[in-house]
């Protein structure tokens, strides 16, 4: 199986030995994203809703580099440092997807990179 990495000069480079996205086996896998400002690479200020909105805008930018968009997403993994932020995340999330919605998992975690409240990864067909 061939693996192809996807990059975008419109987003901060990954800080570690991983790719922004990798295409393999007919699917596209995007690494976890936190709400980084695309220009500075720093975590944006704001609550879980604002961070969710930024994450999904960043994911849309990454998908554009691969010739895809959020309508091609089949699965989303959501990681929250506080599950009481679920409703706020869900409200912001719903503004970026249409039916049929992607499959989704939401998991509570102890901490996320850069002190983020939310992180998301996606699988795209």
């Amino acid at each position: 199986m061939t693996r192809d990495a996807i990059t975008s000069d419109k987003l901060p480079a990954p800080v570690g030995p991983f790719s922004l996205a990798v295409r393999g086996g007919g699917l596209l896998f995007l690494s976890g994203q936190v709400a980084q400002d695309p220009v500075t690479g720093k975590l944006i200020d704001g609550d879980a809703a604002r961070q969710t909105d930024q994450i999904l805008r960043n994911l849309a930018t990454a998908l554009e580099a691969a010739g895809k968009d959020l309508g091609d997403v089949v699965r989303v993994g959501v990681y929250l440092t506080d599950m009481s932020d679920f409703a706020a995340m869900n409200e912001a999330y719903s503004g970026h997807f249409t039916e049929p919605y992607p499959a989704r998992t939401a998991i509570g975690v102890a901490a996320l990179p850069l002190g983020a409240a939310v992180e998301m990864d996606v699988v795209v067909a």
Side-chain angles (χ1 to χ4, degrees), residues 31-100:
S31 295
Q33 298 289 308
V34 295
Q36 288 177 276
D37 179 296
V39 176
T40 67
K42 294 183 179 183
L43 185 70
I44 66 162
D45 290 330
D47 62 8
R50 190 151 182 263
Q51 287 189 24
T52 296
D53 185 60
Q54 183 65 54
I55 290 166
L56 290 167
R57 284 187 280 134
N58 290 353
L59 286 169
T61 298
L63 290 170
E64 183 181 315
K68 299 286 187 173
D69 62 38
L70 290 172
D72 297 309
V73 173
V74 295
R75 184 195 176 280
V76 180
V78 179
Y79 310 91
L80 297 161
T81 57
D82 186 342
M83 288 303 286
S84 69
D85 287 334
F86 181 86
M89 175 281 299
N90 203 48
E91 179 69 25
Y93 176 98
S94 68
H96 292 270
F97 291 101
T98 59
E99 292 187 35

